[in-house]
Structure formats: structure tokens, C-alpha cells
Amino acid sequence: MIGAIYFLSTQTLALVFAIITIMGAWEWGGLIKIYTAKNRYLYIALILLSLLISWIIPLQWVLIISIIWWNFCLLLLIKPFQKKSISHPISKMEGSVIGFLILVPAWRAIIYLHSLPTIGSNIVLFLFALIWLADSGAYMAGRKFGHTKLAPMLSPGKTWEGVYGALIICSLYLVVSTQFFEFSGKKWWLFIALGLATVLFSIVGDLLESLFKRVAAVKDSSSLLPGHGGILDRIDSLTAAVPIFTFGFLLLERLDDWS
């Protein structure tokens, strides 16, 4: 993946990530109970068409829709955190629309970041590393200190202590990264805040997929990656993190005290 980020052109990388997105769409079809191959292929075709449309419409529109969606998810998932059961049925139509909101903006956002002159490859690798560190920090802190469940009915293994561990290790990483990207002044603080917000929303992305897996009564999104689940299990955090970070980064670029 690192080699692809650094050595492939943005257009080629867009194709690579489009293939990953299509594979994720196939798995998502299974989670929302689109079982027939004909309907699953139709859903994939619609996702692919949406990728093409997102390429030609203003990025800001795509990101604003995504920001609204993920903030809605944050509010939606807060309540079930405290519930003992999940009772709301999710229709195929609802699930299909949610699939678009999850997959399409993430693809468009990561391609935009990679296309940035000079820093594109670096910022994409930085973002991937941030989410990988968040996952690792949450796992290690949760394993060592975890006892307060974050969302027991969605993902019993996640704890608040894991969240704190992710935020701590990512804070250190963000401080170091500000030096690499030469942020200063307001941008230094805003970049740290953006990074931590990105980490928090990555957890929302993870929990949303957990919700759909729980409703579908499956452990993994598929068995495509033996021992690691499916594509969605690998990118669920990124689907929320990438649009959130990209939107914030666009705002950062508009500040005039970059040094």
C-alpha cells in the first residue's frame, strides 16, 4: 500500500481504490441482505456510477453531505450505546443509501488528498498511519486497562479506555507530524484538533459497520481476507475518517498563516 501511495499516479491510484470500493460494495450488499447475484451486481454498478459522478461534481458538495451523514451517525449511535438491545430494523433501501454515503465520499476524498501538489502522497500516508495508530492504541489500551464498555451491544470488545489510549498515542503522533508539515500558529492547534476529531469519527465508522454486522448476524463482512475478515473490516474506520479529515484540511488551507 505504501508503495502504491508513493509511486502510482493519482489516476492509477483512483482505479486501485475504486476496485477496493467495489469489493467493499459487494460485501455491503451482503450485510444489507442483497443476496441475489443480479441485484448485487446492480448495486455495484450504481456505486461505480456514483464514483464517476463524484469525480466531476465539486468536492465540497460531496464532503458536506458526508459531514452531515457522519455527524448524524454520531448522534444516532450515542443512544444505542446505552441500550440493551438493537431493535430498529434496517430496510434494504436504507442500507443501500447508507452504502453510498459510506463508500463514495471516502473514495473521492482520498483521491483529492493524493492529488495535492508536493504533499499529496505524504498526507495520505500520514492519514492512514493516524488511523492505524488509533486502532493499535485502542487495542493495546483496551487490552491492558479496559473495563468500561463503549458500546457493548455493537462491539463488546471496545472500551472507553481504548478510546483514551487511541487519543493519547495519536496526540503524540500529531505533534510530531506538525513539525514535518511545518505547521505553526493557529494551524498548529487546528491541525491537532482536526487529527483528534478524525480519530473519534474513525471509531464511529467502525461502530457503524459493527451495527450492520450485528443486524446481519455475522462476525465479519466477508471471508475475503482469511484470518482478517473482509475489505469493510479493514476500511470501516477510514470511511468516516477520510472525509472528516479532508473537509478540515480544506479549511486549514484557507488560513493565511501557513509557514
Side-chain angles (χ1 to χ4, degrees), residues 67-85:
I67 294 297
I68 293 172
W69 163 247
W70 286 114
N71 278 279
F72 172 76
C73 286
L74 178 61
L75 297 175
L76 179 70
L77 293 175
I78 284 175
K79 190 174 182 180
F81 287 175
Q82 310 302 328
K83 284 186 174 182
K84 294 183 179 180
S85 63

Side-chain angles (χ1 to χ4, degrees), residues 23 32 74 82 88 92 147 160 166 175 195:
M23 294 167 70
I32 61 176
L74 178 61
Q82 310 302 328
H88 175 65
K92 289 183 181 180
H147 63 273
W160 281 105
V175 169

Side-chain angles (χ1 to χ4, degrees), residues 18 45 47 52 57 85 102 111 114 120 134 139 172 183 202 213 257:
I47 290 286
L52 295 174
I57 66 176
S85 63
I102 289 173
I111 300 310
H114 191 267
Y139 175 78
L172 298 174
F183 288 102
S202 76
K213 288 194 293 186
D257 62 341

